[in-house]
Amino acid sequence: MKKQGGSFALLLVLFVFVLGGLLWSSFRTKNLNIKTDLAALENLSLKEIDRLSFYLDQAASLAAQQALEKLAATGAVEGAKCFVHSFDGKKFIEWNEQCKPEQKLLKENFLIYYNQSLTELLNRYPEKFELKYDSSLEAGVLKTVAKTKILATQKAIFALYNISFDFEHTSEVNLTKLLSVDDFELIYQKVKNKKLEEIKKLNFEHWNFEVKESAGLIFFEFRTKKNFFFEKDGIEHYSPLELRFCHKL
Amino acid sequence: MNRKAQIGIAIQDTVAFIFVLFALFLFFVFSGAFLDWFKSHAKEISSLQELQSQAHHSLYAWLQKRVDENLTVADLVRLSVMDPSYKDKLEQEAKLAFDFYDYELKIEGLEGGAKFYIPSNKTLVLSLKIKRK
């Protein structure tokens, strides 16, 4: 009887030993899996931040170019108080004292066009995210501060994770390198009350221009020296911006 | 207890003992093999992650590189979609940057590669996959 008890105790101890080993092994494997998952998730977060920051910088630059294109296309003025003339099959807005490019209005309109275009581009980002941004234009530098929340689902070794994390990103576009919003007013100041011969001698940092005279009006066709990215009727372009206006002799 | 019964119990204990030893042996063999598998698998995963990280950082830096005064590589990608004549220039730039690896670069996605989104009228997905030469 004593011998049977001893054998039973030995079996029990061995059984506990095997069970303990199995539990320890399972615990250790799970721990390793969780550690691997956490490292992968941290890596994923950093990559998502890079991806979205890059997209924001690119979108800010494109939206700025699009806003400048809209300013140029509208003759850099508020259309309601302006006369429009047709010449050579093209429309020219007449610049005069009632209808001229004004710095304050240009800056306001630029920011309106910029925000519209940036929102459109951000809506095309293929991943889930939430974003609030503020934009400002000071001394030729367009600054956009974006507060962002990224939402992602990641299947890793141990489990399927739903993760969200916040970060703030600032995009800066130096407009003086592209085209200053002030250029439009500067053009007006340089060409107003000038004779055709004087106008032909003018030089502009960012623009080339052609000028023609007809029926008491001077017609100006300005083109930027650089190409810009912009969308028109859903088609993307990379070409100079065009500014057309006319002025009474 | 008679002698035959004692022999019976002794055999029973011995069989049980051998069974437990065998179970222990199996446990150590399988747990060892599992740990070896896990380690090699983890090594594979970490090597793959390392390459993916390299691809991610390389692509991020490359896209921001200036190819001339006005254009970055990201602009060149956008242009190559708008106008196929820019494709050669883009391929040259890619060769300069990634020739150190066996690489695959694709616009419109690549399974398992590092990817970046480029804003355009239709968002472009640029992917890079690298392998050591």
Side-chain angles (χ1 to χ4, degrees):
Chain A
M1 193 66 194
K2 269 185 186 174
K3 205 169 182 180
Q4 273 182 327
S7 299
F8 180 72
L10 181 69
L11 276 174
L12 204 62
V13 167
L14 287 172
F15 177 74
V16 168
F17 187 61
V18 171
L19 197 69
L22 281 170
L23 282 172
W24 173 80
S25 164
S26 154
F27 178 72
R28 191 179 136 90
T29 309
K30 271 184 187 164
N31 261 355
L32 279 171
N33 283 346
I34 290 168
K35 271 186 196 168
T36 314
D37 277 11
L38 288 178
L41 290 177
E42 194 185 341
N43 205 7
L44 171 87
S45 314
L46 295 173
K47 283 178 184 171
E48 287 293 341
I49 289 173
D50 284 351
R51 255 194 285 276
L52 188 53
S53 300
F54 171 77
Y55 190 89
L56 284 170
D57 288 341
Q58 288 284 310
S61 168
L62 283 190
Q65 294 179 62
Q66 183 76 56
L68 287 169
E69 193 278 332
K70 274 191 187 169
L71 280 185
T74 54
V77 288
E78 282 288 305
K81 2 175 215 180
C82 303
F83 293 113
V84 180
H85 299 267
S86 287
F87 178 68
D88 268 357
K90 295 169 192 166
K91 303 267 183 208
F92 291 77
I93 288 176
E94 186 184 327
W95 282 5
N96 52 41
E97 277 308 304
Q98 286 73 48
C99 173
K100 62 182 180 184
E102 286 170 297
Q103 202 179 344
K104 193 177 167 234
L105 193 68
L106 283 167
K107 197 175 151 184
E108 279 172 17
N109 282 348
F110 172 82
L111 284 173
I112 291 169
Y113 297 147
Y114 170 75
N115 290 332
Q116 281 172 355
S117 182
L118 185 63
T119 305
E120 241 172 75
L121 289 169
L122 293 176
N123 286 339
R124 293 178 195 164
Y125 191 71
E127 309 281 348
K128 275 188 205 165
F129 74 106
E130 290 167 8
L131 181 136
K132 281 179 187 167
Y133 70 87
D134 281 316
S135 49
S136 61
L137 179 60
E138 296 297 333
V141 177
L142 174 66
K143 199 184 245 188
T144 306
V145 181
K147 287 181 179 163
T148 313
K149 179 180 259 188
I150 290 182
L151 310 158
T153 302
Q154 175 75 5
K155 192 180 179 328
I157 299 174
F158 188 65
L160 182 75
Y161 298 89
N162 285 314
I163 52 171
S164 77
F165 48 93
D166 302 287
F167 75 100
E168 191 175 294
H169 179 76
T170 303
S171 293
E172 282 189 9
V173 182
N174 189 350
L175 288 184
T176 55
K177 283 185 181 171
L178 291 169
L179 178 69
S180 173
V181 172
D182 303 339
D183 263 31
F184 301 102
E185 194 179 353
L186 185 79
I187 292 171
Y188 177 67
Q189 295 301 337
K190 279 193 169 181
V191 302
K192 77 170 182 181
N193 303 326
K194 292 247 167 46
K195 290 178 182 168
L196 191 62
E197 295 315 308
E198 290 172 307
I199 289 168
K200 281 180 178 170
K201 288 176 191 161
L202 291 173
N203 274 312
F204 296 91
E205 189 189 348
H206 298 298
W207 303 86
N208 292 318
F209 71 99
E210 283 175 25
V211 63
K212 282 175 189 166
E213 192 191 332
S214 173
L217 287 165
I218 305 176
F219 292 89
F220 295 88
E221 277 194 80
F222 275 70
R223 270 194 192 84
T224 52
K225 291 175 183 172
K226 282 183 184 174
N227 286 335
F228 285 71
F229 282 100
F230 59 90
E231 247 181 88
K232 219 168 193 177
D233 304 322
I235 298 166
E236 200 162 29
H237 298 265
Y238 180 63
S239 52
L241 302 186
E242 290 180 359
L243 171 71
R244 287 191 210 104
F245 67 93
C246 60
H247 195 265
K248 273 192 179 143
L249 268 174
Chain B
M1 203 177 281
N2 63 29
R3 195 171 169 76
K4 272 186 182 175
Q6 278 179 339
I7 290 169
I9 287 167
I11 288 169
Q12 186 185 316
D13 287 351
T14 310
V15 168
F17 185 70
I18 289 167
F19 176 78
V20 170
L21 276 183
F22 184 67
L24 267 175
F25 172 76
L26 283 182
F27 165 71
F28 284 118
V29 166
F30 283 114
S31 64
F34 176 74
L35 278 178
D36 282 348
W37 171 84
F38 184 80
K39 274 181 201 161
S40 73
H41 188 64
K43 208 172 166 184
E44 250 173 54
I45 289 172
S46 97
S47 161
L48 191 72
Q49 277 179 350
E50 193 191 316
L51 273 175
Q52 278 179 340
S53 282
Q54 273 185 39
H56 173 86
H57 295 302
S58 305
L59 189 58
Y60 188 27
W62 184 62
L63 282 169
Q64 295 173 86
K65 183 191 157 196
R66 291 220 154 265
V67 287
D68 63 32
E69 198 195 329
N70 303 318
L71 291 175
T72 61
V73 170
D75 293 328
L76 204 55
V77 173
R78 204 178 289 119
L79 279 172
S80 74
V81 175
M82 287 160 61
D83 177 356
S85 69
Y86 284 94
K87 270 188 180 165
D88 286 348
K89 174 80 179 150
L90 181 66
E91 276 165 21
Q92 277 173 21
E93 287 293 333
K95 203 168 163 46
L96 265 176
F98 306 120
D99 206 31
F100 183 69
Y101 304 103
D102 270 338
Y103 72 92
E104 238 184 304
L105 184 75
K106 264 190 187 169
I107 302 174
E108 294 312 323
L110 190 61
E111 191 66 35
K115 65 178 177 188
F116 275 87
Y117 302 114
I118 300 176
S120 179
N121 60 345
K122 188 180 163 230
T123 306
L124 308 172
V125 188
L126 188 75
S127 299
L128 173 72
K129 214 171 176 178
I130 55 173
K131 277 185 207 161
R132 286 194 186 89
K133 264 187 177 175

